[in-house]
Amino acid sequence: MKVALFVPCFVDQLQPQVGVDTVKVLRRIGCEVLYPEDQTCCGQPGFNTGQWDAARPCAERFVRVFRDFEWIVCPSGSCTSMVRTHYPELLKASRWNDDVVAVGKRVFELSQFLVKVANVTDVGAEFPHTVTYHASCHATRELGIYDEPIALLKNVAGLELREMPNENECCGFGGMFATKFGMVSAAMGDVKAGNVEATGAQYVTAVDPSCLMHLDGVLRFKNRTPKAIHIASILASRAEAR
């Protein structure tokens, strides 16, 4: 199965290991992973701030770059949702209108691709730690992703999954929301970090690198014990790698 890797900006610029681990997981289940080098930002920052004229060229470029691939996988629910959920509205008057819906149906967040497309719930990972799961907003509310990451985590050898209080409550990041309303964002992050700590887990994971970046910042600032880790890095982990 050939898969095109869609790397979001947060991964490209701040958390490149998440992209590397995504490739490891996909290759482990037998996928041939291709990286279209002409890809760039999905345009979500412009879209979310109402700057649609600025976001539209990014969306058109995405469709042009990825339209010939059968499967497109992204380690981010947020950016996947941008393509699948919001591109049709953004490009409805564009010459790419006929392609955008078809491309959107072939874009998957990593955990959803593994479970729904590749029919895999055990990727042979080993991670002997306690972990709690944060159900991020875009993945849960816009893409309906919840059972997939949980199923994958439950099949990781040595991993003990602990349920978090209010696990689907927003962490307070929200991209531009954190920029415009910094104090509110920090307060929401503090509540979320408290819920993470209440589980007693060593790690908090999610399918969205942006949420994890925010939570990691709050946890570090508060000198709290749990660490943030992307689900791709857990799934890529094996005993011999540590």
Side-chain angles (χ1 to χ4, degrees), residues 2-207:
K2 289 186 178 180
V3 172
L5 180 65
F6 166 31
V7 175
C9 301
F10 272 100
V11 172
D12 182 44
Q13 298 295 316
L14 301 173
Q15 302 174 39
Q17 188 60 43
V18 172
V20 173
D21 290 336
T22 299
V23 174
K24 288 181 181 177
V25 173
L26 291 171
R27 285 179 174 169
R28 191 184 297 166
I29 66 166
C31 291
E32 179 183 353
V33 184
L34 306 172
Y35 179 78
E37 294 187 2
D38 287 345
Q39 64 181 284
T40 186
C41 174
C42 66
Q44 188 176 178
F47 181 82
N48 288 348
T49 52
Q51 303 297 316
W52 286 25
D53 287 341
R56 196 167 287 113
C58 295
E60 291 175 342
R61 180 167 178 159
F62 183 96
V63 175
R64 176 176 58 79
V65 169
F66 285 100
R67 63 176 173 164
D68 292 330
F69 291 98
E70 182 177 8
W71 303 111
I72 305 149
V73 176
C74 174
S76 165
S78 179
C79 296
T80 300
S81 182
M82 179 63 197
V83 176
R84 193 187 299 173
T85 308
H86 300 298
Y87 271 15
E89 183 180 12
L90 184 64
L91 297 184
K92 62 183 178 183
S94 165
R95 69 186 181 93
W96 298 103
N97 183 52
D98 291 339
D99 295 305
V100 67
V101 174
V103 171
K105 290 179 179 177
R106 303 198 301 272
V107 179
F108 287 85
E109 178 278 325
L110 174 63
S111 71
Q112 194 174 45
F113 175 82
L114 293 172
V115 176
K116 297 293 188 183
V117 179
N119 295 314
V120 172
T121 55
D122 187 344
V123 298
E126 182 177 359
F127 192 75
H129 302 284
T130 51
V131 177
T132 190
Y133 178 70
H134 162 57
S136 57
C137 295
H138 286 113
T140 305
R141 294 170 177 79
E142 293 187 344
L143 298 176
I145 295 172
Y146 179 75
D147 293 338
E148 298 92 334
I150 296 298
L152 290 161
L153 291 170
K154 285 183 175 178
N155 280 308
V156 174
L159 187 151
E160 179 188 339
L161 187 61
R162 297 184 178 180
E163 185 175 355
M164 185 195 310
N166 301 320
E167 61 184 357
N168 63 353
E169 186 174 274
C170 179
C171 69
F173 181 64
M176 298 307 297
F177 177 84
T179 303
K180 290 184 175 179
F181 308 102
M183 294 182 68
V184 178
S185 172
M188 293 173 70
D190 190 38
V191 171
K192 193 73 183 186
N195 288 339
V196 171
E197 191 172 35
T199 68
Q202 296 168 280
Y203 291 90
V204 57
T205 193
V207 301

